[in-house]
Amino acid sequence: MKGVFAITSLALYAISARGQAAAWAQCGGVGWTGATTCVSGATCTALNDYYSQCIPGAAAPTTVAPTTLPPSSVPTTLPPSSVPPTTTVVSTPLPVSTPSGSCSTNNSAPASAGKLKFAGVNISGFDFGCNSDGNCQASAAWPPLTQYYGADGQGQMNHFVQDDGFNVFRLPVGWQFLTADQPTGVINDANFQEYDALVQACISSGAEGCIVDVHNYARYGGEIIGQGGPTNDVFAQLWGNIAARYASNPKIIFGVMNEPHDIPDINLWAQSVQAAVTAIRNAGATSQIILLPGNNWTSAATFVSNGSADALNKVTNPDGSTTNLVFDVHKYLDYDNSGTNAECVTNNIDDAWAPLAQYLRCHGRVAFNTETGGGNTASCQQYLCEQIAFQAANSDVFLGYVGWAAGNFYPTYVLGETPAQSGSTWTDTSLVAACLSPNANKLIA
């Protein structure tokens, strides 16, 4: 969530003067009354009952008859949050080589693209009490597990896997919780046991990936890691201790840091990330995915322009390779990109995803959109469906998406994705049902 950027114009999704929908625009679905044909070179393709999109180069047109949009199902049984919200086992290594020669500005996805590897949901609670200045309170964390008087995070994940087809969950946790409010890399065993209960619930759900995410914004107690705050050695110690506990589990994905922002020196930050990567690999976690976050809330829109991509492109495994080192990016769809508004105004394709796809393809890298979402509104259903479809069409460079958020979020939370529970029956929010669910969008391999 968090960063604020200018939103580009909506011309990309406007209907053309000829009554045809532009590339990546909506062209059908429940309740749709706009254009049902696409501009030349794009085909109206049904992604689910709710949404059809003009996808460039799609093989065959598909239409969905308009019907009445079902009402949103919003959970009503979870207790309120005490603090407001401020792996797959990869069978072959992810692309790592840098192409020789110049890179064409018209580079495009290969014919094999079209299905993403991952789709998931953030299961929040252990990050409660963390502010964007890196000040967290261990006592404010609220484990999203019934044995700790939280929501049924295990039941949520089981439902998301079994009923929706999700295959990855991101499990944010504050650094202070892991170390019992000590500015150190030494893990507190009692606290870690609680967090590990959520990790084990993720693993047992049948998910293929469980992202361990330190949710501190590149800071501890208001000071930036490696730039006046905790040293790189302390940061490396933290990650080495975490990785040692999961080194033998191929389902674990290591999320080095949630949303660094206002970092004075991106190259120094890359050195901090390098320290964490080296520590993780040296702890025995030699093959799992590690997520590398950039500056400006790791925004997909500015990942290249603010120098994050070039700086993090230099981070390597101890053997000098970049195998399974994946760029970690986020992007929201509201007017100020804050992730605090119910309505969405952009699909982010023109200003964020298309330029990033070009950079990734040019440099032989991949990225993972581990935080995105919107309100349970028609506008977010439209634009988020477009964003996901674009990522799937460019799945050679995008691994997937993780929606924000379920877990312990109160039902009125603007970006809530927590399913409602009635006995053994779970009911998804409208945004999850329409766009995020792999069983609905059919965009996950």
Side-chain angles (χ1 to χ4, degrees):
M1 36 194 296
K2 306 104 180 170
V4 178
F5 319 110
I7 300 298
T8 57
S9 83
L10 306 185
L12 182 64
Y13 5 99
I15 303 303
S16 76
R18 295 176 293 171
Q20 293 180 309
W24 305 110
Q26 184 173 6
C27 56
V30 292
W32 177 247
T33 58
T36 56
T37 59
C38 305
V39 295
S40 177
T43 301
C44 188
T45 304
L47 303 182
N48 54 53
D49 291 343
Y50 301 87
Y51 193 78
S52 297
Q53 183 174 32
C54 289
I55 298 179
T62 310
T63 58
V64 179
T67 59
T68 302
L69 187 67
S72 167
S73 254
V74 179
T76 58
T77 58
L78 292 179
S81 166
S82 57
V83 178
T86 41
T87 35
T88 227
V89 180
V90 182
S91 57
T92 56
L94 299 173
V96 298
S97 60
T98 301
S100 60
S102 61
C103 184
S104 169
T105 57
N106 296 317
N107 61 352
S108 58
S112 59
K115 296 283 187 178
L116 296 164
K117 294 180 183 293
F118 293 114
V121 179
N122 281 268
I123 307 298
S124 194
F126 278 105
D127 54 317
F128 284 11
C130 283
N131 298 323
S132 61
D133 61 0
N135 278 299
C136 303
Q137 291 182 337
S139 61
W142 187 15
L145 295 164
T146 56
Q147 63 264 43
Y148 299 116
Y149 308 102
D152 187 4
Q154 180 163 13
Q156 291 177 24
M157 289 186 282
N158 291 344
H159 155 69
F160 283 136
V161 172
Q162 296 166 13
D163 300 332
D164 290 318
F166 288 105
N167 62 5
V168 66
F169 298 103
R170 184 168 177 255
L171 313 173
V173 61
W175 181 340
Q176 284 87 337
F177 182 82
L178 294 174
T179 62
D181 289 322
Q182 298 302 307
T184 177
V186 178
I187 300 295
N188 178 275
D189 287 335
N191 284 8
F192 190 85
Q193 184 177 357
E194 291 188 22
Y195 178 69
D196 182 60
L198 184 65
V199 176
Q200 297 305 320
C202 174
I203 293 169
S204 66
S205 73
E208 297 172 353
C210 301
I211 303 172
V212 175
D213 161 56
V214 176
H215 213 77
N216 274 68
Y217 307 90
R219 290 160 167 79
Y220 188 106
E223 300 295 334
I224 298 171
I225 298 165
Q227 300 183 50
T231 65
N232 289 349
D233 287 344
V234 170
F235 189 44
Q237 181 186 36
L238 175 72
W239 269 112
N241 286 330
I242 294 171
R245 300 179 187 233
Y246 297 119
S248 63
N249 195 316
K251 289 189 175 184
I252 298 299
I253 298 172
F254 299 103
V256 166
M257 180 56 60
N258 176 69
E259 295 188 343
H261 64 89
D262 300 293
I263 304 298
D265 191 324
I266 189 59
N267 291 302
L268 288 180
W269 170 243
Q271 292 176 22
S272 299
V273 173
Q274 179 66 74
V277 168
T278 300
I280 291 168
R281 295 302 191 218
N282 287 345
T286 58
S287 61
Q288 293 98 324
I289 291 173
I290 302 177
L291 301 174
L292 315 181
N295 205 354
N296 200 20
W297 315 91
T298 202
S299 167
T302 59
F303 199 82
V304 175
S305 62
N306 69 23
S308 294
D310 283 343
L312 294 172
N313 203 30
K314 299 172 185 175
V315 175
T316 67
N317 294 309
D319 64 2
S321 74
T322 55
T323 304
N324 286 338
L325 300 184
V326 173
F327 292 155
D328 189 4
V329 294
H330 294 175
K331 200 70 177 75
Y332 286 91
L333 300 90
D334 49 356
Y335 79 95
D336 58 358
N337 193 56
S338 65
T340 60
N341 303 284
E343 297 295 336
C344 297
V345 300
T346 176
N347 59 21
N348 294 310
I349 293 170
D350 197 31
D351 65 326
W353 299 114
L356 181 57
Q358 178 183 323
Y359 179 95
L360 296 170
R361 207 166 281 126
C362 286
H363 292 82
R365 302 304 295 262
V366 294
F368 194 171
N369 181 16
T370 63
E371 207 178 291
T372 190
N376 290 287
T377 60
S379 64
C380 290
Q381 289 176 22
Q382 174 185 346
Y383 293 124
L384 188 58
C385 281
E386 292 177 3
Q387 176 177 284
I388 291 172
F390 181 86
Q391 291 172 344
N394 292 270
S395 60
D396 59 313
V397 292
F398 296 125
L399 290 186
Y401 59 89
V402 186
W404 183 271
N408 268 339
F409 274 110
Y410 191 59
T412 57
Y413 175 44
V414 66
L415 301 188
E417 295 174 2
T418 306
Q421 182 182 14
S422 177
S424 60
T425 300
W426 295 85
T427 303
D428 286 319
T429 64
S430 62
L431 188 66
V432 170
C435 285
L436 292 166
S437 169
N439 287 351
N441 63 39
K442 309 297 183 185
L443 294 175
I444 307 304

